[in-house]
């Protein structure tokens, strides 16, 4: 299914934020988006519940993307979570999430997090998931087609990304 115009525009907007010089990697794009929004985005590896690839946690003063440890396609998951963020898919309030999933119900999380969105790639009936998937696919595709000295998507290693 071709990406909607909304998704295409979001991908272009993110790529427009890329530094004009030097290589453009996903993590650099993340920095650029965070600067543009004037709100930090943190990237962390985590042991998430089985079957979950990534999670976006929204705090009062920052956003955190958690990526499942050892995930082979972590860049895809990261792009997917970024898609949720730039497309304004807010997720659900943490208090509600905690009620639905006792695993998450630590008082820390409830006290400091506003919203969260947990999920994995793959077929999903939810429109927001499909949009985030389309965003991730298009972003990675367009990153890969940048002149080779500007695209470092293949060379970025986990250690650098999560350092
Ligand atoms: Zn998702």
């Amino acid at each position: 299914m071709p990406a909607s115009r909304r998704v295409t525009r979001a991908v272009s907007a993110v790529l427009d934020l890329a530094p004009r010089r030097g290589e453009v990697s996903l993590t650099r794009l993340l920095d650029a988006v965070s600067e543009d929004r004037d709100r930090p985005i943190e990237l962390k590896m985590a042991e998430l519940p089985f079957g979950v690839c990534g999670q976006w946690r929204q705090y009062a003063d920052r956003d955190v993307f958690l990526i499942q440890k050892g995930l082979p396609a972590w860049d895809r998951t990261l792009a997917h979570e970024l898609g949720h963020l730039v497309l304004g898919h807010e997720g659900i309030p943490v208090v509600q999430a905690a009620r639905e999933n006792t695993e998450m119900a630590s008082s820390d999380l409830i006290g400091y997090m506003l919203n969260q969105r947990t999920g994995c790639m793959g077929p999903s009936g939810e429109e927001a998931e499909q949009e985030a998937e389309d965003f991730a696919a298009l972003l990675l595709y367009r990153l890969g087609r940048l002149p080779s000295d500007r695209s470092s998507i293949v060379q970025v290693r986990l250690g650098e990304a999560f350092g």
Side-chain angles (χ1 to χ4, degrees), residues 9-41:
R9 271 200 304 269
V11 168
S12 300
V14 165
L15 285 171
D16 278 350
L17 296 174
R20 290 282 165 260
R21 286 167 182 281
E23 60 175 17
V24 180
S25 64
L26 257 188
T27 47
R28 284 223 173 158
L29 280 180
L30 208 63
D31 288 345
V33 171
S34 125
E35 219 168 278
D36 184 61
R37 304 171 80 228
D38 207 12
R39 193 175 140 86
I41 302 174

PDB file of all heavy atoms in Angstrom, residues 9-41:
ATOM      1  N   ARG A   9       4.540  13.597   3.435  1.00  0.00           N
ATOM      2  CA  ARG A   9       4.910  14.942   3.893  1.00  0.00           C
ATOM      3  C   ARG A   9       5.716  14.888   5.181  1.00  0.00           C
ATOM      4  O   ARG A   9       6.677  15.628   5.351  1.00  0.00           O
ATOM      5  CB  ARG A   9       3.655  15.792   4.122  1.00  0.00           C
ATOM      6  CG  ARG A   9       3.183  16.542   2.887  1.00  0.00           C
ATOM      7  CD  ARG A   9       2.268  17.709   3.256  1.00  0.00           C
ATOM      8  NE  ARG A   9       1.127  17.273   4.057  1.00  0.00           N
ATOM      9  CZ  ARG A   9      -0.049  16.901   3.532  1.00  0.00           C
ATOM     10  NH1 ARG A   9      -0.217  16.941   2.227  1.00  0.00           N
ATOM     11  NH2 ARG A   9      -1.031  16.514   4.302  1.00  0.00           N
ATOM     12  N   ALA A  10       5.339  14.002   6.084  1.00  0.00           N
ATOM     13  CA  ALA A  10       6.048  13.887   7.366  1.00  0.00           C
ATOM     14  C   ALA A  10       7.489  13.422   7.141  1.00  0.00           C
ATOM     15  O   ALA A  10       8.424  13.927   7.766  1.00  0.00           O
ATOM     16  CB  ALA A  10       5.311  12.933   8.297  1.00  0.00           C
ATOM     17  N   VAL A  11       7.668  12.477   6.224  1.00  0.00           N
ATOM     18  CA  VAL A  11       9.019  11.990   5.922  1.00  0.00           C
ATOM     19  C   VAL A  11       9.857  13.125   5.338  1.00  0.00           C
ATOM     20  O   VAL A  11      11.002  13.350   5.734  1.00  0.00           O
ATOM     21  CB  VAL A  11       8.975  10.778   4.955  1.00  0.00           C
ATOM     22  CG1 VAL A  11      10.358  10.464   4.410  1.00  0.00           C
ATOM     23  CG2 VAL A  11       8.387   9.558   5.659  1.00  0.00           C
ATOM     24  N   SER A  12       9.270  13.873   4.401  1.00  0.00           N
ATOM     25  CA  SER A  12      10.004  14.986   3.798  1.00  0.00           C
ATOM     26  C   SER A  12      10.357  16.034   4.844  1.00  0.00           C
ATOM     27  O   SER A  12      11.462  16.586   4.833  1.00  0.00           O
ATOM     28  CB  SER A  12       9.167  15.653   2.694  1.00  0.00           C
ATOM     29  OG  SER A  12       8.864  14.713   1.705  1.00  0.00           O
ATOM     30  N   ALA A  13       9.431  16.302   5.743  1.00  0.00           N
ATOM     31  CA  ALA A  13       9.686  17.305   6.781  1.00  0.00           C
ATOM     32  C   ALA A  13      10.857  16.887   7.660  1.00  0.00           C
ATOM     33  O   ALA A  13      11.709  17.700   8.011  1.00  0.00           O
ATOM     34  CB  ALA A  13       8.431  17.523   7.624  1.00  0.00           C
ATOM     35  N   VAL A  14      10.911  15.601   8.002  1.00  0.00           N
ATOM     36  CA  VAL A  14      12.009  15.114   8.835  1.00  0.00           C
ATOM     37  C   VAL A  14      13.333  15.190   8.069  1.00  0.00           C
ATOM     38  O   VAL A  14      14.351  15.641   8.589  1.00  0.00           O
ATOM     39  CB  VAL A  14      11.738  13.669   9.321  1.00  0.00           C
ATOM     40  CG1 VAL A  14      12.994  13.020   9.865  1.00  0.00           C
ATOM     41  CG2 VAL A  14      10.649  13.673  10.388  1.00  0.00           C
ATOM     42  N   LEU A  15      13.304  14.785   6.803  1.00  0.00           N
ATOM     43  CA  LEU A  15      14.542  14.820   6.017  1.00  0.00           C
ATOM     44  C   LEU A  15      15.008  16.255   5.785  1.00  0.00           C
ATOM     45  O   LEU A  15      16.205  16.512   5.672  1.00  0.00           O
ATOM     46  CB  LEU A  15      14.353  14.079   4.691  1.00  0.00           C
ATOM     47  CG  LEU A  15      14.334  12.546   4.824  1.00  0.00           C
ATOM     48  CD1 LEU A  15      13.916  11.893   3.515  1.00  0.00           C
ATOM     49  CD2 LEU A  15      15.689  12.009   5.271  1.00  0.00           C
ATOM     50  N   ASP A  16      14.058  17.186   5.732  1.00  0.00           N
ATOM     51  CA  ASP A  16      14.420  18.599   5.588  1.00  0.00           C
ATOM     52  C   ASP A  16      15.191  19.125   6.781  1.00  0.00           C
ATOM     53  O   ASP A  16      15.916  20.107   6.691  1.00  0.00           O
ATOM     54  CB  ASP A  16      13.159  19.467   5.423  1.00  0.00           C
ATOM     55  CG  ASP A  16      12.651  19.453   3.992  1.00  0.00           C
ATOM     56  OD1 ASP A  16      13.379  18.932   3.118  1.00  0.00           O
ATOM     57  OD2 ASP A  16      11.540  19.955   3.755  1.00  0.00           O
ATOM     58  N   LEU A  17      15.003  18.487   7.917  1.00  0.00           N
ATOM     59  CA  LEU A  17      15.692  18.922   9.133  1.00  0.00           C
ATOM     60  C   LEU A  17      17.124  18.391   9.181  1.00  0.00           C
ATOM     61  O   LEU A  17      17.909  18.803  10.029  1.00  0.00           O
ATOM     62  CB  LEU A  17      14.952  18.416  10.376  1.00  0.00           C
ATOM     63  CG  LEU A  17      13.542  18.947  10.624  1.00  0.00           C
ATOM     64  CD1 LEU A  17      12.915  18.217  11.806  1.00  0.00           C
ATOM     65  CD2 LEU A  17      13.568  20.439  10.888  1.00  0.00           C
ATOM     66  N   ALA A  18      17.436  17.446   8.313  1.00  0.00           N
ATOM     67  CA  ALA A  18      18.761  16.821   8.337  1.00  0.00           C
ATOM     68  C   ALA A  18      19.840  17.869   8.144  1.00  0.00           C
ATOM     69  O   ALA A  18      19.643  18.858   7.447  1.00  0.00           O
ATOM     70  CB  ALA A  18      18.857  15.772   7.237  1.00  0.00           C
ATOM     71  N   PRO A  19      20.971  17.654   8.810  1.00  0.00           N
ATOM     72  CA  PRO A  19      22.096  18.585   8.614  1.00  0.00           C
ATOM     73  C   PRO A  19      22.432  18.688   7.131  1.00  0.00           C
ATOM     74  O   PRO A  19      22.347  17.703   6.392  1.00  0.00           O
ATOM     75  CB  PRO A  19      23.239  17.943   9.403  1.00  0.00           C
ATOM     76  CG  PRO A  19      22.695  16.738  10.082  1.00  0.00           C
ATOM     77  CD  PRO A  19      21.272  16.547   9.694  1.00  0.00           C
ATOM     78  N   ARG A  20      22.785  19.888   6.688  1.00  0.00           N
ATOM     79  CA  ARG A  20      23.067  20.104   5.262  1.00  0.00           C
ATOM     80  C   ARG A  20      24.385  19.475   4.839  1.00  0.00           C
ATOM     81  O   ARG A  20      24.649  19.250   3.678  1.00  0.00           O
ATOM     82  CB  ARG A  20      23.082  21.606   4.947  1.00  0.00           C
ATOM     83  CG  ARG A  20      21.710  22.231   5.036  1.00  0.00           C
ATOM     84  CD  ARG A  20      20.869  21.910   3.795  1.00  0.00           C
ATOM     85  NE  ARG A  20      19.459  22.205   4.047  1.00  0.00           N
ATOM     86  CZ  ARG A  20      18.551  21.282   4.354  1.00  0.00           C
ATOM     87  NH1 ARG A  20      18.881  20.015   4.439  1.00  0.00           N
ATOM     88  NH2 ARG A  20      17.298  21.625   4.577  1.00  0.00           N
ATOM     89  N   ARG A  21      25.263  19.286   5.778  1.00  0.00           N
ATOM     90  CA  ARG A  21      26.554  18.690   5.459  1.00  0.00           C
ATOM     91  C   ARG A  21      26.787  17.452   6.298  1.00  0.00           C
ATOM     92  O   ARG A  21      26.238  17.330   7.379  1.00  0.00           O
ATOM     93  CB  ARG A  21      27.685  19.675   5.780  1.00  0.00           C
ATOM     94  CG  ARG A  21      27.767  20.782   4.792  1.00  0.00           C
ATOM     95  CD  ARG A  21      28.671  21.892   5.310  1.00  0.00           C
ATOM     96  NE  ARG A  21      28.679  22.977   4.342  1.00  0.00           N
ATOM     97  CZ  ARG A  21      29.392  22.974   3.227  1.00  0.00           C
ATOM     98  NH1 ARG A  21      30.190  21.958   2.955  1.00  0.00           N
ATOM     99  NH2 ARG A  21      29.334  23.985   2.379  1.00  0.00           N
ATOM    100  N   GLY A  22      27.670  16.613   5.769  1.00  0.00           N
ATOM    101  CA  GLY A  22      28.037  15.428   6.532  1.00  0.00           C
ATOM    102  C   GLY A  22      26.996  14.335   6.391  1.00  0.00           C
ATOM    103  O   GLY A  22      25.993  14.492   5.710  1.00  0.00           O
ATOM    104  N   GLU A  23      27.270  13.255   7.062  1.00  0.00           N
ATOM    105  CA  GLU A  23      26.406  12.099   6.887  1.00  0.00           C
ATOM    106  C   GLU A  23      25.089  12.278   7.629  1.00  0.00           C
ATOM    107  O   GLU A  23      25.003  12.984   8.623  1.00  0.00           O
ATOM    108  CB  GLU A  23      27.122  10.837   7.372  1.00  0.00           C
ATOM    109  CG  GLU A  23      27.488  10.923   8.823  1.00  0.00           C
ATOM    110  CD  GLU A  23      28.093   9.628   9.341  1.00  0.00           C
ATOM    111  OE1 GLU A  23      28.510   8.791   8.527  1.00  0.00           O
ATOM    112  OE2 GLU A  23      28.143   9.476  10.561  1.00  0.00           O
ATOM    113  N   VAL A  24      24.083  11.649   7.087  1.00  0.00           N
ATOM    114  CA  VAL A  24      22.761  11.687   7.702  1.00  0.00           C
ATOM    115  C   VAL A  24      22.404  10.279   8.170  1.00  0.00           C
ATOM    116  O   VAL A  24      22.214   9.389   7.361  1.00  0.00           O
ATOM    117  CB  VAL A  24      21.699  12.175   6.705  1.00  0.00           C
ATOM    118  CG1 VAL A  24      20.336  12.207   7.378  1.00  0.00           C
ATOM    119  CG2 VAL A  24      22.068  13.544   6.164  1.00  0.00           C
ATOM    120  N   SER A  25      22.376  10.107   9.446  1.00  0.00           N
ATOM    121  CA  SER A  25      21.975   8.812   9.981  1.00  0.00           C
ATOM    122  C   SER A  25      20.656   8.986  10.716  1.00  0.00           C
ATOM    123  O   SER A  25      20.222  10.100  10.985  1.00  0.00           O
ATOM    124  CB  SER A  25      23.038   8.275  10.939  1.00  0.00           C
ATOM    125  OG  SER A  25      23.141   9.141  12.054  1.00  0.00           O
ATOM    126  N   LEU A  26      20.052   7.895  11.040  1.00  0.00           N
ATOM    127  CA  LEU A  26      18.787   7.948  11.784  1.00  0.00           C
ATOM    128  C   LEU A  26      18.958   8.672  13.109  1.00  0.00           C
ATOM    129  O   LEU A  26      18.116   9.474  13.490  1.00  0.00           O
ATOM    130  CB  LEU A  26      18.314   6.528  12.085  1.00  0.00           C
ATOM    131  CG  LEU A  26      17.183   5.957  11.245  1.00  0.00           C
ATOM    132  CD1 LEU A  26      16.762   4.630  11.845  1.00  0.00           C
ATOM    133  CD2 LEU A  26      15.999   6.907  11.197  1.00  0.00           C
ATOM    134  N   THR A  27      20.059   8.401  13.774  1.00  0.00           N
ATOM    135  CA  THR A  27      20.241   9.030  15.082  1.00  0.00           C
ATOM    136  C   THR A  27      20.469  10.535  14.933  1.00  0.00           C
ATOM    137  O   THR A  27      20.059  11.315  15.776  1.00  0.00           O
ATOM    138  CB  THR A  27      21.397   8.382  15.861  1.00  0.00           C
ATOM    139  OG1 THR A  27      22.520   8.256  15.004  1.00  0.00           O
ATOM    140  CG2 THR A  27      21.007   7.000  16.351  1.00  0.00           C
ATOM    141  N   ARG A  28      21.100  10.937  13.846  1.00  0.00           N
ATOM    142  CA  ARG A  28      21.236  12.373  13.592  1.00  0.00           C
ATOM    143  C   ARG A  28      19.889  13.016  13.316  1.00  0.00           C
ATOM    144  O   ARG A  28      19.630  14.151  13.710  1.00  0.00           O
ATOM    145  CB  ARG A  28      22.146  12.610  12.388  1.00  0.00           C
ATOM    146  CG  ARG A  28      23.584  12.400  12.717  1.00  0.00           C
ATOM    147  CD  ARG A  28      24.409  13.487  12.087  1.00  0.00           C
ATOM    148  NE  ARG A  28      25.769  13.372  12.550  1.00  0.00           N
ATOM    149  CZ  ARG A  28      26.794  13.879  11.893  1.00  0.00           C
ATOM    150  NH1 ARG A  28      26.595  14.516  10.754  1.00  0.00           N
ATOM    151  NH2 ARG A  28      27.994  13.748  12.364  1.00  0.00           N
ATOM    152  N   LEU A  29      19.067  12.296  12.578  1.00  0.00           N
ATOM    153  CA  LEU A  29      17.721  12.802  12.306  1.00  0.00           C
ATOM    154  C   LEU A  29      16.940  12.961  13.610  1.00  0.00           C
ATOM    155  O   LEU A  29      16.201  13.922  13.798  1.00  0.00           O
ATOM    156  CB  LEU A  29      16.965  11.862  11.367  1.00  0.00           C
ATOM    157  CG  LEU A  29      17.281  11.972   9.884  1.00  0.00           C
ATOM    158  CD1 LEU A  29      16.452  10.977   9.091  1.00  0.00           C
ATOM    159  CD2 LEU A  29      17.037  13.383   9.370  1.00  0.00           C
ATOM    160  N   LEU A  30      17.143  12.006  14.493  1.00  0.00           N
ATOM    161  CA  LEU A  30      16.480  12.064  15.790  1.00  0.00           C
ATOM    162  C   LEU A  30      16.897  13.346  16.530  1.00  0.00           C
ATOM    163  O   LEU A  30      16.057  14.051  17.092  1.00  0.00           O
ATOM    164  CB  LEU A  30      16.889  10.827  16.593  1.00  0.00           C
ATOM    165  CG  LEU A  30      15.923  10.298  17.633  1.00  0.00           C
ATOM    166  CD1 LEU A  30      14.643   9.835  16.978  1.00  0.00           C
ATOM    167  CD2 LEU A  30      16.564   9.150  18.393  1.00  0.00           C
ATOM    168  N   ASP A  31      18.190  13.615  16.528  1.00  0.00           N
ATOM    169  CA  ASP A  31      18.685  14.847  17.155  1.00  0.00           C
ATOM    170  C   ASP A  31      18.062  16.074  16.510  1.00  0.00           C
ATOM    171  O   ASP A  31      17.692  17.033  17.186  1.00  0.00           O
ATOM    172  CB  ASP A  31      20.212  14.946  17.002  1.00  0.00           C
ATOM    173  CG  ASP A  31      20.915  13.938  17.894  1.00  0.00           C
ATOM    174  OD1 ASP A  31      20.260  13.388  18.802  1.00  0.00           O
ATOM    175  OD2 ASP A  31      22.119  13.707  17.673  1.00  0.00           O
ATOM    176  N   ALA A  32      17.992  16.055  15.184  1.00  0.00           N
ATOM    177  CA  ALA A  32      17.456  17.209  14.461  1.00  0.00           C
ATOM    178  C   ALA A  32      15.982  17.436  14.809  1.00  0.00           C
ATOM    179  O   ALA A  32      15.548  18.572  15.011  1.00  0.00           O
ATOM    180  CB  ALA A  32      17.626  17.012  12.956  1.00  0.00           C
ATOM    181  N   VAL A  33      15.225  16.344  14.884  1.00  0.00           N
ATOM    182  CA  VAL A  33      13.805  16.469  15.225  1.00  0.00           C
ATOM    183  C   VAL A  33      13.662  16.992  16.652  1.00  0.00           C
ATOM    184  O   VAL A  33      12.845  17.873  16.934  1.00  0.00           O
ATOM    185  CB  VAL A  33      13.078  15.106  15.087  1.00  0.00           C
ATOM    186  CG1 VAL A  33      11.663  15.172  15.656  1.00  0.00           C
ATOM    187  CG2 VAL A  33      13.036  14.677  13.630  1.00  0.00           C
ATOM    188  N   SER A  34      14.497  16.478  17.539  1.00  0.00           N
ATOM    189  CA  SER A  34      14.404  16.896  18.927  1.00  0.00           C
ATOM    190  C   SER A  34      14.757  18.383  19.069  1.00  0.00           C
ATOM    191  O   SER A  34      14.112  19.120  19.815  1.00  0.00           O
ATOM    192  CB  SER A  34      15.260  15.972  19.781  1.00  0.00           C
ATOM    193  OG  SER A  34      16.183  16.660  20.548  1.00  0.00           O
ATOM    194  N   GLU A  35      15.750  18.840  18.309  1.00  0.00           N
ATOM    195  CA  GLU A  35      16.108  20.255  18.323  1.00  0.00           C
ATOM    196  C   GLU A  35      14.960  21.109  17.778  1.00  0.00           C
ATOM    197  O   GLU A  35      14.631  22.160  18.313  1.00  0.00           O
ATOM    198  CB  GLU A  35      17.343  20.464  17.452  1.00  0.00           C
ATOM    199  CG  GLU A  35      18.319  21.454  18.028  1.00  0.00           C
ATOM    200  CD  GLU A  35      19.626  21.386  17.268  1.00  0.00           C
ATOM    201  OE1 GLU A  35      20.445  20.480  17.571  1.00  0.00           O
ATOM    202  OE2 GLU A  35      19.805  22.203  16.357  1.00  0.00           O
ATOM    203  N   ASP A  36      14.371  20.621  16.712  1.00  0.00           N
ATOM    204  CA  ASP A  36      13.278  21.354  16.083  1.00  0.00           C
ATOM    205  C   ASP A  36      12.087  21.502  17.028  1.00  0.00           C
ATOM    206  O   ASP A  36      11.423  22.529  17.056  1.00  0.00           O
ATOM    207  CB  ASP A  36      12.860  20.611  14.801  1.00  0.00           C
ATOM    208  CG  ASP A  36      11.797  21.373  14.029  1.00  0.00           C
ATOM    209  OD1 ASP A  36      12.091  22.514  13.611  1.00  0.00           O
ATOM    210  OD2 ASP A  36      10.685  20.853  13.856  1.00  0.00           O
ATOM    211  N   ARG A  37      11.829  20.461  17.803  1.00  0.00           N
ATOM    212  CA  ARG A  37      10.689  20.520  18.721  1.00  0.00           C
ATOM    213  C   ARG A  37      11.069  21.153  20.046  1.00  0.00           C
ATOM    214  O   ARG A  37      10.232  21.354  20.906  1.00  0.00           O
ATOM    215  CB  ARG A  37      10.174  19.102  19.015  1.00  0.00           C
ATOM    216  CG  ARG A  37       9.804  18.313  17.807  1.00  0.00           C
ATOM    217  CD  ARG A  37       9.524  16.861  18.188  1.00  0.00           C
ATOM    218  NE  ARG A  37       8.190  16.685  18.741  1.00  0.00           N
ATOM    219  CZ  ARG A  37       7.916  16.023  19.858  1.00  0.00           C
ATOM    220  NH1 ARG A  37       8.879  15.474  20.548  1.00  0.00           N
ATOM    221  NH2 ARG A  37       6.692  15.907  20.278  1.00  0.00           N
ATOM    222  N   ASP A  38      12.364  21.383  20.222  1.00  0.00           N
ATOM    223  CA  ASP A  38      12.864  21.952  21.456  1.00  0.00           C
ATOM    224  C   ASP A  38      12.490  21.061  22.647  1.00  0.00           C
ATOM    225  O   ASP A  38      12.061  21.536  23.692  1.00  0.00           O
ATOM    226  CB  ASP A  38      12.307  23.374  21.643  1.00  0.00           C
ATOM    227  CG  ASP A  38      13.251  24.210  22.490  1.00  0.00           C
ATOM    228  OD1 ASP A  38      14.389  23.758  22.707  1.00  0.00           O
ATOM    229  OD2 ASP A  38      12.838  25.294  22.933  1.00  0.00           O
ATOM    230  N   ARG A  39      12.662  19.794  22.426  1.00  0.00           N
ATOM    231  CA  ARG A  39      12.281  18.806  23.440  1.00  0.00           C
ATOM    232  C   ARG A  39      13.155  17.578  23.219  1.00  0.00           C
ATOM    233  O   ARG A  39      13.169  17.021  22.120  1.00  0.00           O
ATOM    234  CB  ARG A  39      10.810  18.477  23.214  1.00  0.00           C
ATOM    235  CG  ARG A  39      10.114  17.721  24.308  1.00  0.00           C
ATOM    236  CD  ARG A  39       8.634  17.596  23.938  1.00  0.00           C
ATOM    237  NE  ARG A  39       8.141  16.284  24.292  1.00  0.00           N
ATOM    238  CZ  ARG A  39       7.670  15.971  25.512  1.00  0.00           C
ATOM    239  NH1 ARG A  39       7.607  16.873  26.450  1.00  0.00           N
ATOM    240  NH2 ARG A  39       7.268  14.753  25.774  1.00  0.00           N
ATOM    241  N   PRO A  40      13.914  17.186  24.240  1.00  0.00           N
ATOM    242  CA  PRO A  40      14.855  16.073  24.025  1.00  0.00           C
ATOM    243  C   PRO A  40      14.160  14.748  23.693  1.00  0.00           C
ATOM    244  O   PRO A  40      13.079  14.472  24.203  1.00  0.00           O
ATOM    245  CB  PRO A  40      15.584  15.939  25.367  1.00  0.00           C
ATOM    246  CG  PRO A  40      15.159  17.076  26.217  1.00  0.00           C
ATOM    247  CD  PRO A  40      13.960  17.720  25.598  1.00  0.00           C
ATOM    248  N   ILE A  41      14.808  13.997  22.820  1.00  0.00           N
ATOM    249  CA  ILE A  41      14.381  12.629  22.543  1.00  0.00           C
ATOM    250  C   ILE A  41      15.522  11.714  22.954  1.00  0.00           C
ATOM    251  O   ILE A  41      16.633  11.853  22.464  1.00  0.00           O
ATOM    252  CB  ILE A  41      14.085  12.404  21.046  1.00  0.00           C
ATOM    253  CG1 ILE A  41      13.009  13.364  20.550  1.00  0.00           C
ATOM    254  CG2 ILE A  41      13.652  10.951  20.804  1.00  0.00           C
ATOM    255  CD1 ILE A  41      12.777  13.296  19.036  1.00  0.00           C
TER     256      ILE A  41
END
